[in-house]
Amino acid sequence: MGSFILKRLINLVPTLLVVGIIVFIITRMIPGDPASVMLGPQASVEDVENLRAELGLDKSLPAQFVSYIADLAQLNLGYSYSYSESVFGLIAERFPNTVILALAALFIAVVIGIPAGIFAARKQNTIVDYVVMLVSLVGVSMPIFWLGIMLVLFFSVNLGWLPATGMGSMDDGLWAFIKHLILPACALATIPMATFARITRSSMLEVISQDYIKTARSKGIKEYLVIGKHAFKNALTPILTVLGMQISNLLGGAVLTETIFSWPGMGRLIVDAIDKRDFVVVQGTVIFIAFIFVLVNLIVDVLYKVVNPKVNLDSDGGKK
Amino acid sequence: MVQAIVNDTKKKNTLLRKLLKNKLASIGLVIVAIMAIVAIFAPWIATHPPDEMTVGKSFLAWNTEGHLLGTDNYGRDLFSRLVYGTRISMIVGIAAVLFGAVFGTLLGLVAGYFGGRLDAVIMRTMDGLFAFPFILLAITLMTVLGQGLVNVIVAIGIANIPGFARLVRGQVLSVKEEEFVEVTHSLGATHRRIIFSHILPNCLAPLIVYGTMSTAGAIISEAALSFLGLGVQPPTASWGSILKDGKDFLVLNPQMATFSGVCILVTVLGINLLGDGLRDALDPKMKV
């Protein structure tokens, strides 16, 4: 297991390097001079020249690339002029908020989606199964930015039950904190929840029809043990695969959810930085999210191996 | 030749029959067909020009003064804007996926067929692109490219490339080992001929299924980009931009936000139903 993790960590290096190169190329494609765009039309030529020098834009492209990679290696993501703060500081301030939102959404998705899938599989071809499948089909097709707005319209504007925007502080008590979290977490949870329900149902159906489950039942083992212990354990591998993919959905979805609910996280930071034309922040946050995504996928791969030691993830054409 | 055409028609007929037997897939097919008709015949279906502003007629309620769904903040007919919005969604959905499919397939074919260093370079690049959440990659590209329909297509298209490349490469790796490829090679066929005449046709079924599913994703992404103000330029009607305007007038005029979202949801649901049906009919083992 140790060598497996080490090997995966070494494999990360080229991927992370490619991520860095892609972001470098994209940000260098920005039409016009980023320095003058960032400072706005009123800026003097001198100010623009100073910022260009500060950002290293006056150097040749290869030289820019070398210092950019060197900065990345030292976790130096640059300095934001519009926020007057280092990009790393901005991220350190906001990333925990995104993690809270994403984990809350993941929690809702797992706690509702997986049991719904198991339940639907147990009651295959009954009305319960059809309802779960229909709801999850609508769920995977949901534009979550629209769902977020509809939740605000219904629960905040019409009923006045929950706050429409912002993040509650723990100083005001746990309930104030949770109250602010419910709507954005529900919106963000929709697609993963529906996906979990669908994949759990199909992999449970596959497992339930196998001989050892029939044997377990014929031995008189209680049904909840058959399903919960024997069947679910073996249905877990495809669910874990989907979990890895959903992390991407959660991080991407956070950009939209945070915008709607004014949640002070990474997504909101990116959208605000785009509005302010602060490319240093856009570049830094995008790289950071990509790095986190790659790391989380590594953790999922390790979990995958723990659940199913026979799986060989090293060969080509392995888990996607 | 004639026999081949007959066989081909037969194959298509069985696919259609299989699809129609599946109730959910039929519903999906009908939804997609309706949306396609609305997009093509938008000028005849719309009751007003989509960009026509009428002063003093903002926020009319539905079914007043000949406005089926009322008017928006500029007094533009909401129904007509939604009808024209179908065009943008369909164009972006199809064009962006085609963009991603063409480049992704070519890269996947080359990487899988030739292997070695070329494969390593291509697939590491794809891994790198995969490290960005889809919508985030599209957003980043849009900040560089700037607003506009073509740029939306390019941005979502690029974000689609790695998915297609991985899918096709995987298919190529399994097809490449089959005997008929070796035989064709020993008979002196060129690489190009083997790739395009023998390997590519064997990748088509999963490509069709994946392409259909990706169209749904592309439509949502376009709406998301326009919602964030990074998509098509105003005053062009797009479901995402109508939703963006509607968000600011949620209390005053909830129908703007409500109906634009319903259009996105129904279309995406239709495409997903069709995609599920196509998967079951073409390649039941595939898990997209």
Side-chain angles (χ1 to χ4, degrees), chain B:
Chain B
M1 183 70 188
V2 176
Q3 190 58 41
I5 294 171
V6 172
N7 281 343
D8 208 30
T9 326
K10 264 189 194 163
K11 241 189 229 169
K12 275 181 197 154
N13 282 344
T14 23
L15 175 64
L16 192 66
R17 209 171 299 147
K18 270 188 193 169
L19 266 184
L20 292 178
K21 243 193 227 167
N22 181 338
K23 262 187 215 154
L24 288 176
S26 311
I27 297 173
L29 194 61
V30 170
I31 293 174
V32 173
I34 291 174
M35 289 302 171
I37 290 169
V38 171
I40 294 167
F41 298 104
W44 289 275
I45 296 171
T47 50
H48 296 73
D51 303 334
E52 188 185 70
M53 300 188 215
T54 319
V55 183
K57 276 195 178 180
S58 310
F59 303 124
L60 287 183
W62 36 5
N63 215 6
T64 40
E65 299 182 34
H67 296 286
L68 206 57
L69 297 177
T71 56
D72 70 0
N73 46 329
Y74 292 108
R76 296 173 296 196
D77 182 64
L78 182 58
F79 174 74
S80 307
R81 288 185 69 72
L82 289 172
V83 166
Y84 273 87
T86 318
R87 274 193 169 178
I88 299 291
S89 288
M90 288 288 160
I91 291 172
V92 173
I94 294 167
V97 170
L98 275 180
F99 185 103
V102 168
F103 288 101
T105 304
L106 281 176
L107 289 169
L109 283 171
V110 169
Y113 185 79
F114 293 106
R117 259 193 210 160
L118 195 58
D119 179 29
V121 170
I122 292 176
M123 290 327 285
R124 282 296 89 78
T125 312
M126 295 300 119
D127 285 348
L129 282 172
F130 243 130
F132 301 92
F134 189 92
I135 188 70
L136 192 60
L137 182 57
I139 287 174
T140 314
L141 287 166
M142 283 311 289
T143 48
V144 175
L145 297 170
Q147 278 185 310
L149 182 61
V150 176
N151 290 347
V152 172
I153 293 170
V154 172
I156 300 176
I158 292 176
N160 261 310
I161 291 176
F164 279 99
R166 271 197 184 178
L167 175 77
V168 171
R169 177 177 175 273
Q171 288 293 117
V172 174
L173 287 182
S174 62
V175 176
K176 203 170 80 168
E177 301 306 320
E178 300 213 6
E179 233 166 84
F180 77 93
V181 175
E182 264 172 53
V183 172
T184 332
H185 191 61
S186 60
L187 285 174
T190 59
H191 290 312
R192 201 167 71 181
R193 190 174 159 79
I194 295 176
I195 290 177
F196 288 105
S197 308
H198 300 287
I199 292 185
L200 184 60
N202 279 293
C203 304
L204 277 184
L207 263 179
I208 291 170
V209 177
Y210 189 74
T212 311
M213 303 285 199
S214 304
T215 309
I219 288 178
I220 289 210
S221 303
E222 183 279 320
L225 289 175
S226 297
F227 175 73
L228 291 173
L230 295 167
V232 293
Q233 262 170 325
T236 311
S238 137
W239 292 338
S241 58
I242 298 171
L243 182 56
K244 177 178 182 270
D245 295 340
K247 179 186 169 245
D248 298 334
F249 305 104
L250 211 50
V251 182
L252 205 59
N253 186 294
Q255 65 255 36
M256 278 168 76
T258 311
F259 289 115
S260 51
V262 169
C263 288
I264 304 169
L265 175 61
V266 170
T267 309
V268 171
L269 181 64
I271 297 172
N272 278 337
L273 287 172
L274 181 63
D276 274 1
L278 278 171
R279 181 194 55 204
D280 294 344
L282 283 169
D283 193 354
K285 276 179 287 176
M286 191 176 160
K287 279 182 183 153
V288 181

Side-chain angles (χ1 to χ4, degrees), chain A residues 14-15 18-19 22-23 26-27 29-31 134 137-138 140-143 145-146 149-150 152-153 157 198-199 202 206 248 251-253 255-256 259-260 270-271 274 277 279 282 286-287 289-290 293-294 316-317 320, chain B residues 24 119 124-125 127-137 139-141 143-145 166-167 169 173 220 223-224 227-228 230 240 243 247 250-251 254 257-262 264-265 268-269 272-273 276 279 287:
Chain A
T15 308
V18 171
V19 167
I22 290 170
V23 173
I26 291 178
T27 43
M29 272 162 49
I30 293 169
L134 187 74
L137 247 169
V138 173
V140 290
S141 311
M142 188 63 77
F145 42 101
W146 175 69
I149 293 173
M150 289 297 111
V152 167
L153 183 64
V157 178
R198 274 160 68 97
I199 194 80
S202 68
E206 216 165 276
S248 166
L251 288 174
V255 178
L256 297 160
T259 309
I260 292 158
I270 293 177
V271 175
I274 290 171
R277 317 292 290 162
F279 301 115
V282 177
V286 167
I287 285 194
I289 290 186
F293 180 46
V294 171
D316 278 337
K320 280 206 262 183
Chain B
L24 288 176
D119 179 29
R124 282 296 89 78
T125 312
D127 285 348
L129 282 172
F130 243 130
F132 301 92
F134 189 92
I135 188 70
L136 192 60
L137 182 57
I139 287 174
T140 314
L141 287 166
T143 48
V144 175
L145 297 170
R166 271 197 184 178
L167 175 77
R169 177 177 175 273
L173 287 182
I220 289 210
F227 175 73
L228 291 173
L230 295 167
L243 182 56
K247 179 186 169 245
L250 211 50
V251 182
T258 311
F259 289 115
S260 51
V262 169
I264 304 169
L265 175 61
V268 171
L269 181 64
N272 278 337
L273 287 172
D276 274 1
R279 181 194 55 204
K287 279 182 183 153

Side-chain angles (χ1 to χ4, degrees), chain A residues 32-88:
Chain A
D33 176 29
S36 46
V37 174
M38 277 165 73
L39 290 175
Q42 268 97 36
S44 68
V45 180
E46 206 185 357
D47 285 345
V48 173
E49 281 309 315
N50 284 341
L51 183 59
R52 278 177 61 81
E54 191 120 9
L55 295 174
L57 294 171
D58 52 348
K59 290 186 239 165
S60 69
L61 269 183
Q64 281 183 40
F65 182 71
V66 170
S67 63
Y68 160 83
I69 292 292
D71 281 348
L72 271 188
Q74 296 166 41
L75 293 179
N76 176 9
L77 296 173
Y79 183 83
S80 158
Y81 285 87
S82 54
Y83 289 92
S84 308
E85 203 181 333
S86 77
V87 177
F88 200 81

